[in-house]
Amino acid sequence: MQSRLVSVSKFLSRVLRHQPGRVGIELDRAGWVAVADLLAACRAHNFPLTREELEVVVRDNDKKRFAFDEDGTRIRASQGHSVRVELGYAPLAPPPVLYHGTASHLLASIRERGLVKGRRHHIHLSADAATAAKVGARHGKPHLIRVESGRMHADGYEFYRSENGVWLAEHVPAKYLVL
């Protein structure tokens, strides 16, 4: 059962963050899609999924990657999109320090350019070092970067926090990083 839920989570990440057209759905402006439409599209594209499985993945995903709307009729990814969406998060003052986990082989580029969002909407940052280190380990030998977010915010940069507690920024210039 656990391997099935991991497969569902990965599939939902792909569809709700990067490739909704892969199963023939369209996300609304804020990234939402009707649960009924998602389930029908999954069935039609040989990935049958039950409402119960969907609820377990949303509830039990350790990173809380997905969320239902208030009445449970729509679903979206909480952050990490490469498709155009407006998640509606309001700017928020961050804690003085945030963390970003990355692979060691990317450090030369980060020293030069800072943290760049690439195809995603935002840079993902964590309030705790352990979570950031776990993220960095997914991409190779991990390296933890300290972000002087309080100083950055005081200099006029905006931060947001997603529903699942991930801190988001458009760009983090190198001068705010402690590598």
Side-chain angles (χ1 to χ4, degrees):
M1 180 65 171
Q2 189 62 29
S3 65
R4 167 69 179 164
L5 296 178
V6 169
S7 294
V8 169
S9 180
K10 287 181 178 185
F11 182 81
L12 290 175
S13 286
R14 188 177 315 112
V15 169
L16 296 177
R17 294 165 79 180
H18 308 296
Q19 300 173 339
R22 179 185 182 125
V23 295
I25 60 170
E26 286 188 35
L27 305 179
D28 74 9
R29 185 176 155 93
W32 296 105
V33 64
V35 170
D37 293 347
L38 174 64
L39 294 175
C42 288
R43 274 191 309 277
H45 287 82
N46 298 319
F47 196 88
L49 177 62
T50 67
R51 172 68 192 222
E52 293 75 25
E53 287 175 313
L54 193 60
E55 288 176 4
V56 169
V57 168
V58 171
R59 183 188 67 233
D60 294 350
N61 183 272
D62 62 340
K63 294 182 181 160
K64 303 295 179 201
R65 284 191 171 109
F66 315 105
F68 288 117
D69 67 357
E70 291 176 4
D71 60 7
T73 60
R74 298 182 304 158
I75 186 171
R76 76 174 179 182
S78 297
Q79 85 280 324
H81 297 80
S82 60
V83 296
R84 184 114 182 103
V85 295
E86 182 53 54
L87 298 173
Y89 298 139
L92 187 64
V97 173
L98 290 169
Y99 300 93
H100 181 79
T102 192
S104 295
H105 71 275
L106 299 173
L107 290 177
S109 173
I110 292 170
R111 277 188 188 94
E112 183 180 317
R113 299 172 55 211
L115 295 174
V116 179
K117 64 184 180 176
R119 293 187 322 250
R120 294 194 180 189
H121 288 248
H122 296 97
I123 303 297
H124 294 188
L125 304 167
S126 176
D128 70 278
T131 299
K134 253 174 79 171
V135 170
R138 293 187 334 213
H139 306 290
K141 183 180 176 198
H143 187 86
L144 189 64
I145 297 173
R146 180 182 154 121
V147 177
E148 295 177 342
S149 46
R151 189 166 66 93
M152 194 174 150
H153 184 256
D155 288 348
Y157 290 88
E158 289 186 336
F159 288 82
Y160 308 89
R161 190 172 59 206
S162 67
E163 295 166 6
N164 60 350
V166 174
W167 285 90
L168 308 168
E170 291 283 324
H171 175 246
V172 180
K175 72 179 188 175
Y176 299 104
L177 302 176
V178 179
L179 302 171

